[in-house]
Amino acid sequence: MRQGVFLMTEEMNPIPGQAGEELNELMQARRDKLAAIIDKGIEPFGRHYEPTHHAQQVTDQFADLEGKTVRVAGRIMAIRGHGKAGFANLRDMSGQIQLYLRQDILGDDAYDVVHQFDLGDIIGAEGEVFRTRTGEVSIKVASVSFLTKSLRPLPEKWHGLKDVEIRYRQRYLDLIVNPDVQRAFLVRSKMIQALRRALDERGFLEVETPMMHAIAGGAAAKPFITHHNALDMKLYLRIAPELYLKRLIVGGFEKIYELNRVFRNEGISIKHNPEFTLLELYQAYGDYQTVMKLTEEVIAAVAQEVLGTTQISYQGQAIDLTPPWRRITMTDAVKQFAGVDFAAIKTLAEARKAADDNGVHYEPGHGIGGILNAFFEAKAEEHLVQPTFITRYPTEISPLAKRCQDDPEFTDRFEGFIFSREIANGFSELNDPMDQKERFLAQVAQRESGDAEAHMMDEDFVTALEYGMPPTGGLGIGIDRLAMFLTDSYSIRDVILFPHMRHRDTNEG
RNA sequence: GACCCACUAGCUCAGUCGGUAGAGCACCUGACUUUUAAUCAGGGAGUCGAUGGUUCGAGUCCAUCGUGGGUCACCA
């Protein structure tokens, strides 16, 4: 067999230079230093250290700290030797601080250890805070503690790491050498914190519902399929938590949210990752107006808290998140941007002719509502740069939303758009079990005619509605996309720590 | 899934017309006690993504494959 040990090793270790390969010159040099450190009786992979300050604090509080002794810990990012003295830049989570290392202060033995330092090593240092001749706040190191030896060379200090494949596959390297990357994920983290706080303040309760579903419902999407061995049953990774959250509204919870991952078995692009983070919330006794208002308020509040402003810039485009956002019905948007008035279109034949005349693509299964939506996506969406709510979605494409009081062909539903991208989706929840059952049946029919994204029948959900669900407003917000706007990230991969990549395989044809 | 582009030292990149592979940083040796992309002198480092083909000769031309990126389609 050609698939010997070597191929197995490659497959299990997608990172170049792993065990089994010969060490290159740079790695050998580090192993040699490792041995030298061990020879001196020092543990190269340490156990414990208690820093008194972060790097940034030392700089910020220089006036108070000058002449005082501090302990810091972090990764060595630069070394500048000067014979019997030297400088090193130490990086921790807060930033960098310069260390000044002198043989006459450290002593010969300790200074020998300093000579074994490599870029990337993690050390602790204790010493007096001072300012150098050139004005840089530094620490005159009296003692160093070796905490972790780094056995691989870091990417270059000046140009950083640019190879996007390595950046995503080995995100830790990206985080070490590209400070902006860490900042983006910090913003994402704060944004999620701010969101939770905004919802908690408004009396919402965070809940957790199953990620593995026997029936994949709550959205139009292809699910990932898995299998439970003991129960010998097919399970789907959830495409949305919606149907479980509404069961909780039936159960008596009044304001709930879930902020977690959903999984959709679809293409990957700068706007799509197979798993992404979705916020869904439900407010009993509210409607789509309630949650539409909540959407603009919460997004503006989060931007204000995280960035200090509701005026953001995305890819060079100024965007004003300040409420209230523009509101326009889908029919009016199509009329405005495509010049086609669907209020005057009463038959499928007329809708199809309008689409044909305007070069709008539609599927054979589309009704008037589906064609209206196709018009909207083809002609109107691109114009929705500033935050805009599109309302009155066709019932045909909204199987879980309540019909409008004045027209059963439309629903009390909205989607929020920023920079032409859908960022929020909300509606008055359908709580009529008989209507819901009919909508499911229509979805099942579509599914049987080949639409893999149409809903499955969920009898238990209908049963829950039969016990009675109060009128409810529901909302979903795409967290990754919101993070993209707040961090001015071009690709969704830049706000997901470990975006999905193809599995690295062996090189056999 | 279709099309376009990329893949050269640990990293960032050059490489002309097809003629034995280059730079900066990093690394190694030496000098240097306030430098900061430290400096100075010397040195080592490559399966040019993989496989096949054309050719006297391929990093360079051709084909297939792999991985990544982009655009489109689908989707939030």
Side-chain angles (χ1 to χ4, degrees):
Chain A
M1 291 293 286
R2 300 196 52 180
Q3 282 179 304
V5 172
F6 176 71
L7 290 178
M8 283 291 289
T9 303
E10 283 294 290
E11 201 164 351
M12 291 164 67
N13 295 301
I15 309 308
Q18 276 289 1
E21 287 185 23
E22 285 181 26
L23 299 178
N24 72 28
E25 179 196 21
L26 300 178
M27 288 176 63
Q28 189 55 55
R30 284 169 182 250
R31 300 273 170 159
D32 292 346
K33 288 182 181 175
L34 175 73
I37 290 161
I38 293 170
D39 278 350
K40 290 177 191 297
I42 294 168
E43 262 194 295
F45 302 101
R47 293 167 189 280
H48 180 80
Y49 195 76
E50 287 186 7
T52 59
H53 292 76
H54 275 111
Q56 191 63 47
Q57 283 180 292
V58 176
T59 311
D60 290 348
Q61 302 168 16
F62 176 74
D64 291 333
L65 290 175
E66 186 173 15
K68 299 204 174 93
T69 295
V70 296
R71 271 199 307 278
V72 293
R75 193 184 289 274
I76 297 172
M77 300 306 290
I79 299 174
R80 295 175 293 280
H82 292 263
K84 294 186 176 59
F87 294 90
N89 294 342
L90 195 73
R91 154 97 60 78
D92 64 17
M93 182 76 192
S94 73
Q96 289 205 17
I97 184 78
Q98 178 170 266
L99 305 181
Y100 181 42
L101 303 141
R102 288 172 62 131
Q103 189 168 22
D104 59 0
I105 296 176
L106 283 158
D108 293 351
D109 284 350
Y111 202 70
D112 280 349
V113 174
V114 168
H115 270 288
Q116 308 303 324
F117 284 170
D118 278 312
L119 300 188
D121 287 355
I122 295 168
I123 64 161
E126 179 174 333
E128 203 176 280
V129 177
F130 77 113
R131 203 188 278 277
T132 63
R133 184 186 295 164
T134 50
E136 177 151 349
V137 174
S138 307
I139 297 172
K140 197 174 288 179
V141 178
S143 70
V144 291
S145 301
F146 211 98
L147 299 179
T148 302
K149 182 69 194 162
S150 168
L151 296 177
R152 288 174 182 271
L154 289 178
E156 203 221 1
K157 59 181 172 186
W158 190 245
H159 296 93
L161 181 66
K162 290 187 175 169
D163 183 323
V164 287
E165 185 172 357
I166 299 177
R167 286 188 48 220
Y168 297 145
R169 283 191 196 275
Q170 294 176 265
R171 181 68 91 178
Y172 45 89
L173 283 180
D174 194 26
L175 289 165
I176 291 170
V177 302
N178 296 328
D180 286 348
V181 173
Q182 199 176 66
R183 272 197 285 280
F185 286 103
L186 201 65
V187 168
R188 179 185 171 122
S189 227
K190 286 185 167 170
M191 178 192 95
I192 290 173
Q193 246 178 2
L195 262 175
R196 283 203 163 97
R197 186 157 47 240
L199 294 174
D200 294 347
E201 280 168 0
R202 286 167 169 79
F204 283 85
L205 193 70
E206 182 167 12
V207 296
E208 291 176 278
T209 64
M211 294 236 179
M212 295 192 290
H213 291 182
I215 296 166
K222 291 182 212 117
F224 287 93
I225 302 171
T226 186
H227 181 261
H228 190 289
N229 288 343
L231 299 178
D232 189 24
M233 68 182 288
K234 185 154 96 172
L235 284 172
Y236 301 97
L237 300 188
R238 71 178 182 189
I239 55 176
E242 172 153 356
L243 300 184
Y244 279 96
L245 291 172
K246 284 196 274 197
R247 283 174 171 93
L248 296 179
I249 298 292
V250 171
F253 286 104
E254 294 184 354
K255 292 168 112 180
I256 53 173
Y257 72 95
E258 183 159 7
L259 201 173
N260 216 317
R261 224 66 65 75
V262 298
F263 310 86
R264 299 188 184 176
N265 207 340
E266 282 147 7
I268 295 177
S269 79
I270 56 162
K271 289 179 284 184
H272 301 90
N273 195 60
E275 55 179 301
F276 64 100
T277 304
L278 183 64
L279 165 68
E280 279 203 10
L281 67 82
Y282 293 84
Q283 178 166 347
Y285 310 113
D287 63 5
Y288 78 106
Q289 292 281 357
T290 316
V291 290
M292 188 157 63
K293 195 155 180 297
L294 189 64
T295 303
E296 59 190 0
E297 279 176 15
V298 163
I299 288 178
V302 165
Q304 183 65 42
E305 183 163 340
V306 174
L307 303 177
T309 175
T310 54
Q311 315 287 323
I312 66 167
S313 170
Y314 184 72
Q315 305 296 297
Q317 169 72 49
I319 291 171
D320 183 1
L321 298 173
T322 313
W325 297 357
R326 184 182 176 209
R327 287 152 164 79
I328 178 171
T329 67
M330 181 181 281
T331 303
D332 285 347
V334 167
K335 190 171 162 187
Q336 178 181 344
F337 295 112
V340 176
D341 186 5
F342 267 75
I345 288 176
K346 301 297 180 195
T347 67
L348 182 57
E350 286 167 4
R352 284 179 171 171
K353 181 173 185 306
D356 293 339
D357 290 349
N358 287 275
V360 171
H361 175 76
Y362 58 92
E363 299 294 331
H366 280 166
I368 298 173
I371 293 173
L372 170 61
N373 186 56
F375 254 98
F376 169 74
E377 288 180 358
K379 302 288 186 184
E381 232 176 59
E382 62 193 279
H383 301 287
L384 308 179
V385 175
Q386 294 303 320
T388 304
F389 289 124
I390 299 296
T391 61
R392 279 178 85 92
Y393 273 64
T395 305
E396 184 184 334
I397 58 163
S398 313
L400 302 168
K402 190 185 271 293
R403 298 177 196 268
C404 296
Q405 209 163 20
D406 61 353
D407 188 344
E409 292 306 315
F410 290 91
T411 58
D412 284 340
R413 174 184 175 189
F414 73 92
E415 285 195 359
F417 289 84
I418 298 174
F419 202 74
S420 302
R421 294 182 187 165
E422 181 191 339
I423 192 151
N425 178 18
F427 38 88
S428 299
E429 302 296 336
L430 177 55
N431 63 342
D432 173 342
M434 292 164 292
D435 192 0
Q436 183 65 75
K437 181 148 191 173
E438 281 171 28
R439 305 265 199 107
F440 274 144
L441 287 171
Q443 288 286 310
V444 168
Q446 272 186 41
R447 199 177 175 78
E448 282 165 357
S449 68
D451 182 356
E453 295 177 4
H455 273 74
M456 305 175 196
M457 169 59 70
D458 191 334
E459 294 280 4
D460 180 69
F461 178 66
V462 175
T463 301
L465 292 188
E466 285 172 352
Y467 282 97
M469 182 174 83
T472 297
L475 168 66
I477 294 178
I479 296 304
D480 310 276
R481 289 196 177 168
L482 188 58
M484 287 169 74
F485 286 122
L486 297 192
T487 57
D488 194 13
S489 295
Y490 174 68
S491 170
I492 196 168
R493 294 186 191 91
D494 294 323
V495 296
I496 292 176
L497 281 166
F498 298 98
H500 269 284
M501 304 286 273
R502 195 180 298 267
H503 177 64
R504 273 266 180 89
D505 212 346
T506 53
N507 289 323
E508 48 190 336

